């Protein structure tokens, strides 16, 4: 299993995380997260709670886009409103993505390849510069949260309109992108995941005469027909209860995350509540 660091909220993640491409970190290359352990009594709803907290309603997403567009239009620039992204799912930050036998039979590994949040409209240089702002004139950051934005950019102004302050926007957008990462990394290092991959590999060899170590490697293997390999992969995942075990492990580490980050989660909750309150007025202005 690998940890998958992905885009969140399109171009906003480029500003906050300081990277221009998504990347996947190999489990073998990761370093164990010191002091992060699975909860002894996991909350079976931990993942669902995080998905609910971190998810932005379509109305809030649309309001954020509208605020950016209004800021740029005031400068004589255009901004193409981006469609709302799908619901937030922290499970999508772990690779391999879920793959059912039905999905494999119908689509093969193509079922895992779609990532609409990375499809962004073209933005001209002038609009991008105004959106980003100039950090030399001042930046906005939040202590304990990775990432900062220029104080004079339209992104910062959209945060102020939606979240009540640019700081609250940085807290929410960058917080949900970065705070869980050490816990996700720790989950990939859990011995239950290592054992799960071994069981899956044994199934592939015994049931399908395919010698391969992990589902991640299977999805990029070119030694046989990828559609058939995807079916074998999904069948062995079903046999070893791959998704069930992965969910249990993720719930255990997300329970730890919720306990460790309780103070910041309270702030995230308030920021989200403010955004949901402000969004309708922005859209109606």
């Amino acid at each position: 299993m690998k940890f998958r660091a992905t885009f969140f909220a399109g171009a906003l993640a480029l500003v906050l995380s300081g990277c221009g491409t998504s990347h996947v970190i190999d489990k073998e290359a990761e370093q164990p997260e010191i002091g992060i352990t699975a909860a002894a009594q996991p909350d079976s709803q931990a993942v669902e709670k995080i998905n609910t907290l971190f998810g932005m309603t379509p109305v809030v997403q649309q309001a954020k886009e509208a605020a950016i567009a209004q800021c740029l239009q005031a400068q004589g620039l255009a901004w193409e409103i981006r469609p709302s992204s799908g619901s937030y799912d922290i499970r999508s930050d772990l690779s391999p993505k879920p793959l059912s036998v039905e999905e494999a039979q119908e689509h093969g590994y193509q079922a895992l390849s779609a990532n609409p949040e990375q499809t962004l409209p073209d933005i001209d240089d002038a609009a991008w510069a105004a959106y980003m702002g100039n950090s030399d004139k001042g930046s906005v950051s939040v202590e304990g949260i990775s990432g900062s934005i220029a104080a004079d950019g339209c992104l910062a102004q959209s945060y102020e309109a939606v979240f009540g302050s640019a700081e609250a926007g940085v807290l929410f957008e960058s917080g949900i992108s970065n705070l869980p990462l050490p816990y996700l990394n720790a989950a990939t290092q859990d011995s239950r995941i290592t054992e799960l991959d071994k069981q899956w590999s044994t199934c592939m060899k015994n049931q399908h005469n395919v010698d391969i170590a992990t589902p991640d490697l299977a999805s990029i293997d070119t030694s046989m027909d990828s559609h058939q390999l995807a079916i074998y992969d999904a069948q062995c995942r079903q046999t070893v209860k791959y998704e069930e075990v992965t969910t249990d492990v993720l719930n255990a580490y997300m329970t730890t995350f919720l306990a460790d980050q309780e103070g910041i989660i309270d702030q995230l909750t308030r920021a989200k509540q403010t955004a949901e309150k402000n969004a309708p007025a922005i859209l109606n202005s």
Side-chain angles (χ1 to χ4, degrees):
M1 173 168 285
K2 300 176 183 176
F3 161 67
R4 182 189 302 273
T6 62
F7 285 114
F8 180 79
L12 304 188
L14 303 184
V15 181
L16 294 169
S17 67
C19 62
T21 57
S22 64
H23 57 282
V24 175
I25 301 174
D26 270 311
K27 186 172 83 170
E28 290 78 7
E30 293 169 358
Q31 296 299 318
E33 295 294 339
I34 305 300
I36 296 179
T37 58
Q41 296 181 316
D43 179 353
S44 63
Q45 302 299 312
V47 168
E48 183 177 341
K49 289 176 180 177
I50 289 172
N51 288 342
T52 299
L53 171 63
F54 287 1
M56 297 291 283
T57 66
V59 171
V60 172
Q61 295 181 53
Q62 292 161 15
K64 191 167 55 179
E65 289 292 304
I68 294 170
Q70 290 168 9
C71 174
L72 287 168
Q73 287 166 4
Q75 302 176 52
L77 300 167
W79 179 265
E80 182 179 343
I81 301 295
R82 295 169 292 184
S84 300
S85 60
S87 58
Y88 181 87
D89 183 7
I90 199 165
R91 169 67 179 87
S92 66
D93 288 334
L94 290 181
S95 177
K97 292 182 179 180
L99 180 67
S100 69
V101 173
E102 293 76 15
E103 289 171 334
Q105 288 172 337
E106 186 170 355
H107 302 292
Y109 284 122
Q110 291 181 359
L112 308 180
S113 62
N115 191 356
E117 288 186 353
Q118 287 186 267
T119 304
L120 303 174
D122 292 334
I123 304 171
D124 64 43
D125 291 344
W128 181 251
Y131 169 79
M132 294 278 286
N134 185 352
S135 59
D136 291 339
K137 297 180 180 179
S139 62
V140 178
S141 61
V142 177
E143 185 177 357
I145 302 293
S146 300
S148 65
I149 60 174
D152 65 343
C154 285
L155 175 59
Q157 291 189 38
S158 74
Y159 280 172
E160 185 171 351
V162 174
F163 292 98
S165 71
E167 288 80 7
V170 170
L171 171 72
F172 191 87
E173 292 278 345
S174 190
I176 66 177
S177 297
N178 294 310
L179 287 173
L181 302 189
Y183 299 84
L184 292 170
N185 186 22
T188 68
Q189 302 292 322
D190 191 280
S191 59
R192 287 169 291 180
I193 297 297
T194 303
E195 179 59 29
L196 185 62
D197 282 338
K198 290 179 180 178
Q199 292 175 7
W200 175 91
S201 182
T202 299
C203 173
M204 291 290 284
K205 187 171 184 178
N206 292 345
Q207 299 298 321
H208 306 295
N209 198 31
V210 176
D211 191 2
I212 198 163
T214 70
D216 284 306
L217 293 175
S219 66
I220 60 174
D221 187 88
T222 60
S223 64
M224 65 175 289
D225 177 75
S226 64
H227 196 161
Q228 186 61 60
L229 183 57
I231 295 172
Y232 292 162
D233 175 1
Q235 289 172 343
C236 278
R237 292 197 208 189
Q238 186 178 73
T239 297
V240 302
K241 300 185 183 302
Y242 201 98
E243 195 58 31
E244 292 91 334
V245 174
T246 297
T247 298
D248 288 344
V249 172
L250 189 55
N251 271 321
Y253 283 91
M254 292 303 102
T255 299
T256 301
F257 169 75
L258 289 170
D260 289 352
Q261 304 293 337
E262 184 176 0
I264 292 180
I265 287 171
D266 287 343
Q267 296 177 56
L268 291 171
T269 301
R270 290 194 296 272
K272 181 177 179 178
Q273 291 171 342
T274 298
E276 291 173 343
K277 178 180 178 181
N278 290 341
I282 294 170
L283 293 175
N284 292 329
S285 63

